[in-house]
Amino acid sequence: MVAAALAPQAPSWGVWMRRNPTVVGGGLILAALVGLAFIAPWIAADPLGFDPLDRLKRPSAAFWFGTDQFGRDVYSRVVYGTRVSLIVGVSVAAISTAIGLVIGVLCGYYKRVDDSVMRVMDGLMAIPAILLAIALITLMKASLLIVIVAISIPEIPRVVRLVRSVVLSVRAQPFIEAAIASGTRGRVIMTRHILPNTVAPLVVQATYVCASAILTEAGLSFLGAGTPPEIPSWGNVISLGRTFFQIAPWIIFFPGLMLAVTVLAINLVGDGLRDTLDPRIARRM
Amino acid sequence: MTAYIVRRLLATIPVMVVVAMFVFLLLNLTPGDPAAVIAGDDASPAEIEGVRRKLGLDRPLWEQFVIYAWNLARGDLGTSIFSNLPVLTLVKQRLEPSVVLAISTLTVAILLAVPMGVLAAWKQRSWIDRTVMGISVLGFAMPVFMIGYLLIYVFSIELRWLPVQGYRPLAQGFEQTLRSIALPSIALGMVYMALIARITRASMLDVLNEDYIRTARAKGVATAGVLLRHALKNAAVPIVTVIGIGLTLLISGVVITETVFNIPGLGRLTVDAVLKRDYPIIQGLIILFAGVKVLINLMIDISYTFLDPRIRY
């Protein structure tokens, strides 16, 4: 009975949510954005539809976010852009986490592969992410898939390092030695004892990768080296608005605002997850 | 110490070899025909063949690599496909604006962010702390081009205090350069400030809880003295680490900032090369930037020994 009273009580969901209002806020915004991406066809007009008579119109009741230089509705383009950003963010997070996890576990567990693979990772990490993506995009025909792959590659070494460090520290613990001594097979040790320990830091890392991927995609498209121009991504909308910035700032303002809100929401959720899952780092930040 | 520096310098060689091999293999192993992609959609077969020859793609892989490695070893970063100028010449022409931008961004960010972090830690949970943390969270979320356009809108178009875009070289006078570089530095510095302020606060919070801080206070050392001489000095290692990480973030940011503000630096060179698909330029810039990044990391590692005498190599 005494032991039960002394055991740290996990706070209930309600308490946790009241203690982390920013996470709840971020989560709600994120849910709204996902909803927006799904119902885009019902709440927005054709993002490619244009009318030369409606060029560079100010925001009004007919065009909530104004129109661009081809007379396209910026609101519709921004709503559809939500899809592109979320697809890129989630795909990059998933791809780089999955590949990084496999490589990281192998590196942490097998000394033989570790040295050479980590040298390659060091080299990859030395290349600025945006330049690596730019190089890939220069050599291939632009498509959303290429953009996703190009943004994923520079993220992989970071995930590998994270996973590897977790694996190395878990491996050094006595219970792994005991498992090896009692004849547990390598695969079982890996899946039952080591992998579960990588989940918490990976989930946190994945949210940050997702946010940074969304920013990178927008940056690449802004430079004209990203998503093909016929796809309405926020970066593309902003890129086109560049030349008309002084007379039609709304073309840039609205997609930029959505971008900032999206990244902010994901970061807030990430911070909350980090505080909950990894209190050791949380106290420091 | 010298032995350590030499050892670390030697250790950068394999990293750079991996970088060089990677950009080389990228050109050769890309699915599809890079020569056709670079030549463009309406290129004739003869033009595609011309690009292929210029890139050396018509030779066997090993021969290409030997030529490429030999050129790199001699400091030849390659030749632009379109202008036929050596990449190194193009880089030299564009170097000044980027270096000036990087230095002024670094200065602005450190001068603003470190005091912000120190104040936030000193007055933890006060409105100052909340404001600093708020700015930091926003700094991470705002894309650099948004900050750039907002600054241009407010300070150049509405208030007319500063030029809208462009760069004035140092040769035309330092003040003109500063005016042209002010807004880009702030725009580019935001993420960086967010990062430095955050880590300064965290690192200071750790140190301020130490016993010797209480001793210093009890001795009657003035608050400023405690914060700067006793606390900040000991909180410096993580701050310097993050300044180094940030410098590499800066390299990516420079490309976008130079486009927003129309600054003819290395970033513009990169973007122009992408639009023309001039791969040798991009290849050369990657090697150059990677080299800078590796050297920065090396310098940071060495600086630890000066900041914290307990760290010995």
Side-chain angles (χ1 to χ4, degrees), chain A residues 123 125-127 131-132 134-135 137-141 222-223 225 238 242 245-246 256 259-260 263-264 271 284, chain B residues 19 22 26-27 30 41 137 141 143 145-146 149 164 198 202 206 259-260 270 274 277 279 282 286 289-290 293:
Chain A
M125 268 180 106
I127 303 174
L131 282 182
L132 190 59
I134 280 177
I137 286 160
T138 315
L139 292 174
M140 279 179 266
K141 281 216 179 307
F222 170 77
L223 295 174
I238 295 171
R242 218 160 75 194
F245 167 64
Q246 298 202 29
L259 195 55
V263 174
L264 183 69
D271 287 351
R284 299 216 51 230
Chain B
V19 172
F22 184 81
L26 209 55
L27 177 62
T30 309
D41 284 335
V137 170
F145 42 88
M146 269 314 280
Y149 282 118
V164 176
R198 222 177 216 225
D206 274 359
T259 306
V260 173
T270 316
V274 179
R277 295 187 181 269
Y279 189 71
I282 293 174
I286 287 183
F289 280 129
K293 204 168 162 176

Side-chain angles (χ1 to χ4, degrees), chain B residues 53-64:
Chain B
R53 229 187 356 266
K54 273 191 181 170
L55 288 170
L57 286 172
D58 53 341
R59 301 204 181 113
L61 195 64
W62 67 268
E63 201 182 315
Q64 282 181 55

Side-chain angles (χ1 to χ4, degrees), chain B residues 65-77:
Chain B
F65 189 75
V66 169
I67 295 172
Y68 168 73
W70 171 239
N71 285 342
L72 266 188
R74 290 185 308 155
D76 179 355
L77 287 177

Side-chain angles (χ1 to χ4, degrees), chain A residues 116 119-142 146 153 158 208 211 215-216 218-220 222-226 234-235 238-239 241-243 245-247 249 252-257 259-265 267-268 271 274 283-285, chain B residues 14-16 18-19 22-23 26-28 30-31 33-34 36-38 40-41 133 137-138 140-146 148-150 152-153 157 164-165 198-199 201-203 205-206 238 248 251-253 255-256 259-260 268 270-271 273-279 282 285-286 289-291 293-294:
Chain A
S116 47
R119 284 297 81 76
V120 174
M121 292 297 142
D122 285 346
L124 269 184
M125 268 180 106
I127 303 174
I130 209 165
L131 282 182
L132 190 59
I134 280 177
L136 275 169
I137 286 160
T138 315
L139 292 174
M140 279 179 266
K141 281 216 179 307
I146 296 296
I153 291 176
R158 275 167 265 275
Y208 295 132
L215 279 178
T216 310
L220 287 171
F222 170 77
L223 295 174
W234 293 335
I238 295 171
S239 177
R242 218 160 75 194
T243 12
F245 167 64
Q246 298 202 29
I247 48 170
I252 286 185
F253 178 74
F254 290 105
L257 186 69
L259 195 55
V261 168
T262 308
V263 174
L264 183 69
N267 279 345
L268 289 178
D271 287 351
R274 183 196 59 203
R283 230 176 297 125
R284 299 216 51 230
M285 290 308 277
Chain B
V15 175
M16 290 312 293
V18 169
V19 172
F22 184 81
V23 284
L26 209 55
L27 177 62
N28 281 279
T30 309
D33 182 0
V37 175
I38 289 171
D41 284 335
M133 289 309 274
V137 170
L138 269 185
F140 279 120
M142 291 277 275
V144 60
F145 42 88
M146 269 314 280
Y149 282 118
L150 279 178
I152 295 179
Y153 195 80
I157 296 179
V164 176
Q165 282 174 325
R198 222 177 216 225
I199 212 79
R201 175 181 175 274
S203 181
L205 281 178
D206 274 359
T248 54
I251 295 175
S252 300
V255 182
I256 293 172
T259 306
V260 173
R268 263 325 285 185
T270 316
V271 175
V274 179
L275 299 181
K276 285 192 221 146
R277 295 187 181 269
D278 200 337
Y279 189 71
I282 293 174
L285 284 169
I286 287 183
F289 280 129
K293 204 168 162 176
V294 167

Side-chain angles (χ1 to χ4, degrees), chain A residues 77-123:
Chain A
R77 293 175 67 73
V78 167
V79 169
Y80 272 93
T82 316
R83 290 184 161 184
V84 180
S85 283
L86 291 180
I87 288 172
V88 169
V90 172
S91 318
V92 170
I95 293 174
S96 58
T97 310
I99 298 178
L101 177 66
V102 173
I103 302 179
V105 167
L106 291 177
C107 279
Y109 204 78
Y110 296 108
K111 264 257 151 294
R112 263 173 304 145
V113 283
D114 190 33
D115 276 343
S116 47
V117 174
M118 285 319 282
R119 284 297 81 76
V120 174
M121 292 297 142
D122 285 346

Side-chain angles (χ1 to χ4, degrees), chain B residues 94-103 167 254 258 263-268:
Chain B
R94 306 290 195 99
L95 199 58
E96 185 199 298
S98 298
V99 172
V100 172
L101 177 61
I103 292 175
Y167 173 78
V254 161
E258 288 187 355
I263 296 171
L266 293 177
R268 263 325 285 185

